[in-house]
Amino acid sequence: MSTSTPSTANGNDSRQFKGDRSPCGPSRVLHVRKVPIEVSEAELISLGVPFGRVTNLLMLKGKNQAFIEMASEEAAITMVNYYTTATPHVRNQPVYIQYSNHRELKTDNLPNQGRAQAALQAVNAVHSGNMALGGSASGSDGALMPGQSPVLRIIVENLFYPVSLEVLHQIFSKFGTVLKIITFTKNNQFQALLQYADPMNAHHAKVTLDGQNIYNACCTLRVEFSKLTSLNVKYNNDKSRDFTRLDLPSGDGQPTMDPALTAAFGAPGIISSPYAGAAGFGPAIGFPQAVGPPFDLLSCVPPGLSMHTMTGALGPLAMPGSISGRMTLHGMAPIAVHAVLLVSNLNPDSISPHGLFILFGVYGDVHRVKILFNKKENALIQMADATQAQLAMSHLNGQRLHGKVIRVTISKHQTVQLPREGQEDQGLTKDFSGSPLHRFKKPGSKNFQNIFPPSATLHLSNIPPSITDDILKELFAGTGYTVKAFKFFQKDRKMALIQLGSVEEAIQALIDLHNHDLGENHHLRVSFSKSTI
């Protein structure tokens, strides 16, 4: 490989890059520094392929530098924007990419360019071939043949603890450049679509991660190829992220990540380098080294839960080779400052602090509720800790309550203030911190294992012996709900399942009838069930 520069690349870039240089304006020619001497042409070209066609390459091995020419300035801009926030690594070494002050590379008359041209032809042929596979797909899906897509569909089962977009980025970026992530709830399951720069990255991630647990004994990943080949992300917020477009808005009322979260995860919205490689998840978040199969991916202690809370629950599950509770101490502790939720699009005519306390109490212990005095369709809910707040948000955001689809996000407030003495409040603010109805007061409570998304089937418990199925069905029907099915547990008639007409009905019934007095000093306990009848 020649170590001389092309006629248009006269060495100014390499000289200027020795110190801090003032950035050039956008150009489709990019200058790459700190290139390891053993790097191949194909490896460098692969840095550009996710963003568009690479039209030329010049490697200056003696100077540990290279020039990459993209087909368009737009592709180069997207590439620089991405790698500015997520430093690429080649052969486990960071490389640095910036605009060149040259407009094109002219390498025709240079010796030893044969390998670079052959690599360009090979990579572009593969890339074109992948695109051509989708030629018969209809519309804008641009679908590839099964197994060829750079987009993965991810389902998280046994979601006992919240899994955020950031956590997915941490795990999946071990396998290559993650360009975009969209998270959503479908069929009462937390799901995500994740786009890699390269279909091979998607293949390796699928093979390695399918069936793995994020935390010990819970949050199981189901990974498959999506039929889509590209994701269209409109907003950068806690539900979706385009790591190549930091200029995207946060969306309609959707906050960007809380300042505490941003500080914890590194700016701006990128947790760590997507090329962290075998060294672990990257320094910004302080994760210890990643653990491969058969151990779990992060830790036996979910983020935000303190060690004393977990002593009786998941603490004993730590095993040799798994990541212990160090994660709580060193990793995500900054998140714990925000346990307040902002709930919006409520029905102001039907909502009450008690109703919100009962509903959100399914996912954690609610300490305070404030319906905003001048905007009664909004409320602030203070949970016991940030993990419970995340859990409630992940399960209740997008659910229907009193005929309206509610939106749940993390608030910037750290606490919910009680009204001052004499201040007009109309009973809109309530302190529930001493309530006997908290489900999670006891460390290691069985209730931690029975947290499920809202569903049309409710789990009933604490039923006295004298109560028959007809009495319970009449209780729900008489309160205005459609009872589709009912059955007692065979081994324990203190518990039963009841299936109502819809998820919305079940949510309302839980609010109305949890803690209902059944007599004989028994109060009905209601929660969502993972089962159907």
Side-chain angles (χ1 to χ4, degrees), residues 102-294:
H102 306 290
R103 312 312 296 174
E104 63 177 332
L105 287 180
K106 294 182 179 176
T107 60
D108 299 347
N109 299 322
L110 291 175
N112 303 320
Q113 272 294 97
R115 282 178 56 182
Q117 294 306 313
L120 280 167
Q121 289 177 10
V123 171
N124 286 329
V126 170
H127 193 57
S128 301
N130 281 344
M131 298 305 290
L133 284 172
S136 59
S138 59
S140 59
D141 284 354
L144 301 179
M145 296 293 285
Q148 296 295 312
S149 173
V151 179
L152 294 175
R153 178 168 172 254
I154 302 156
I155 298 174
V156 184
E157 298 177 347
N158 304 318
L159 190 73
F160 293 159
Y161 298 98
V163 174
S164 65
L165 182 149
E166 281 71 29
V167 167
L168 291 177
H169 185 270
Q170 283 282 11
I171 294 167
F172 281 82
S173 60
K174 300 282 290 177
F175 299 89
T177 308
V178 175
L179 299 182
K180 304 171 187 178
I181 305 177
I182 299 171
T183 65
F184 55 96
T185 301
K186 184 178 180 182
N187 300 328
N188 286 330
Q189 289 180 311
F190 177 78
Q191 301 190 26
L193 292 169
L194 182 146
Q195 182 180 343
Y196 276 108
D198 188 328
M200 285 306 295
N201 300 148
H203 173 75
H204 291 146
K206 178 187 181 301
V207 169
T208 306
L209 295 177
D210 187 34
Q212 293 296 313
N213 294 332
I214 297 176
Y215 304 116
N216 283 357
C218 69
C219 300
T220 306
L221 291 169
R222 300 296 176 204
V223 185
E224 59 190 43
F225 288 107
S226 170
K227 293 178 182 176
L228 302 172
T229 60
S230 182
L231 300 179
N232 181 22
V233 176
K234 296 180 179 178
Y235 305 116
N236 281 340
N237 53 42
D238 56 352
K239 297 292 183 214
S240 62
R241 200 78 54 86
D242 184 337
F243 296 104
T244 70
R245 291 281 310 279
L246 299 180
D247 57 321
L248 290 178
S250 61
D252 177 24
Q254 273 275 48
T256 51
M257 289 182 67
D258 246 43
L261 289 170
T262 307
F265 289 131
I270 306 282
I271 301 181
S272 62
S273 162
Y275 293 89
F281 279 125
I285 197 167
F287 276 109
Q289 183 163 336
V291 175

